[in-house]
Amino acid sequence: MSKTIIKASINICCMVFITCMALSCSQQNSNETFIVPLDTMPVYNRTDSKIPPPPPPNRVYYFPSNFIIDTAGQVFFYQRQGKWNDDVQVDWNTPPNFIDLKPKDIVQIPIKSIEEFIKLNILDIDSSKRYIAVASAKDTINSPGLSKIIAICKDDNNHIRWKFRLITQEEAIVLDYKKGKRNYDSEEIKWDSTKTKMPAKSKN
C-alpha cells in the first residue's frame, strides 16, 4: 500500500472522528439548552355558552424554594418564608410583589452538588410542600445545572410542583449585587413599577 493511500485513510479516519465528536457535543448541548415557556393566562374553550367560564387561575411568581440560573448557566438558590402562595397576583398582568430579597439570602450551588442539595433541602420535606420556582436570566439558556434541576422536577416519584419562568426584576438586581459583592439597599434602587409591585407606603 502506498504512502499516499495510507495518508488518505488516516485523514478520512480523523475527519470521521471529528465529525462524531462534534455531533456528540451538539447532542449534549441540545440536552442542556432550554427555552423558557411564555407565562400566558390559560384560555378556556367554552362548549356551552350558558355555562360561565371558570375564574382565571392565580399567577404565582415565587415559591418557598427558588432557583436562579444566570446568563452563564450558574445556579443560585434562595428560600422564602411564609406561605407558598402569599404573593398570588389577583390580576394576571400585575407584576410580582416586592419580596425584600437580599444578597445574603442567595447562595450559589455547585453543579456537582445539585442533586444532593435538592435531596437534603427539598425532597426531605413533606411532599405537599415541595414547590420550586426556576428562574432563568435568558429566554434561551444552556446550563448543565438547570438540566439536572428539571430532570429532578419532572420525576413523578419526587412529587414536586414547579414553575419555569424568567427572572424577576428584583431577583436580577439582587443577584447582580450578590455577585458584585456590593452593598445593597433596596431604598436606593429605582424600581420599575411595571416589573415590581412595591408595597404601599404607610401614612404617618
Side-chain angles (χ1 to χ4, degrees):
M1 185 180 293
S2 66
K3 292 183 178 180
T4 302
I5 295 176
I6 294 175
K7 185 176 181 180
S9 299
I10 293 174
N11 288 338
I12 292 173
C13 289
C14 289
M15 290 177 65
V16 171
F17 176 76
I18 292 172
T19 302
C20 290
M21 288 294 292
L23 289 173
S24 175
C25 291
S26 176
Q27 181 64 34
Q28 183 178 2
N29 289 336
S30 65
N31 292 336
E32 296 172 352
T33 300
F34 301 89
I35 299 175
V36 181
L38 292 175
D39 194 9
T40 56
M41 184 172 67
V43 177
Y44 297 97
N45 295 320
R46 300 173 61 184
T47 57
D48 188 343
S49 59
K50 295 181 181 180
I51 301 177
N58 292 325
R59 187 177 190 179
V60 180
Y61 292 93
Y62 304 107
F63 281 153
S65 298
N66 301 270
F67 288 95
I68 302 175
I69 315 300
D70 71 0
T71 54
Q74 299 180 103
V75 178
F76 298 83
F77 177 83
Y78 70 92
Q79 288 183 314
R80 289 203 62 212
Q81 302 298 323
K83 298 179 180 179
W84 73 269
N85 62 344
D86 59 1
D87 72 319
V88 167
Q89 308 300 316
V90 178
D91 186 338
W92 191 268
N93 295 317
T94 301
N97 290 330
F98 176 76
I99 59 173
D100 199 21
L101 182 65
K102 294 179 172 57
K104 65 180 180 61
D105 300 328
I106 302 175
V107 295
Q108 184 172 359
I109 311 299
I111 304 298
K112 63 180 180 181
S113 304
I114 288 176
E115 291 96 341
E116 187 65 18
F117 179 85
I118 294 178
K119 179 181 178 181
L120 294 175
N121 293 276
I122 298 173
L123 298 183
D124 198 41
I125 64 177
D126 188 276
S127 60
S128 65
K129 300 178 180 178
R130 296 174 190 167
Y131 287 87
I132 293 178
V134 184
S136 171
K138 299 192 297 182
D139 293 322
T140 302
I141 189 86
N142 181 278
S143 169
L146 175 59
S147 179
K148 293 183 177 183
I149 294 171
I150 290 181
I152 294 173
C153 289
K154 285 186 173 181
D155 188 338
D156 293 336
N157 294 320
N158 293 329
H159 305 288
I160 295 175
R161 270 72 70 192
W162 64 291
K163 178 174 185 174
F164 186 29
R165 59 170 173 77
L166 284 174
I167 193 171
T168 64
Q169 180 193 38
E170 185 174 358
E171 288 172 331
I173 290 175
V174 177
L175 179 61
D176 183 64
Y177 274 82
K178 168 78 175 183
K179 293 165 65 176
K181 298 180 180 179
R182 293 176 290 153
N183 292 327
Y184 171 78
D185 184 351
S186 62
E187 297 288 337
E188 297 179 354
I189 304 298
K190 294 182 179 179
W191 299 101
D192 184 339
S193 61
T194 66
K195 296 180 180 179
T196 304
K197 183 181 179 182
M198 301 300 292
K201 294 183 178 181
S202 59
K203 297 180 180 180
N204 296 326

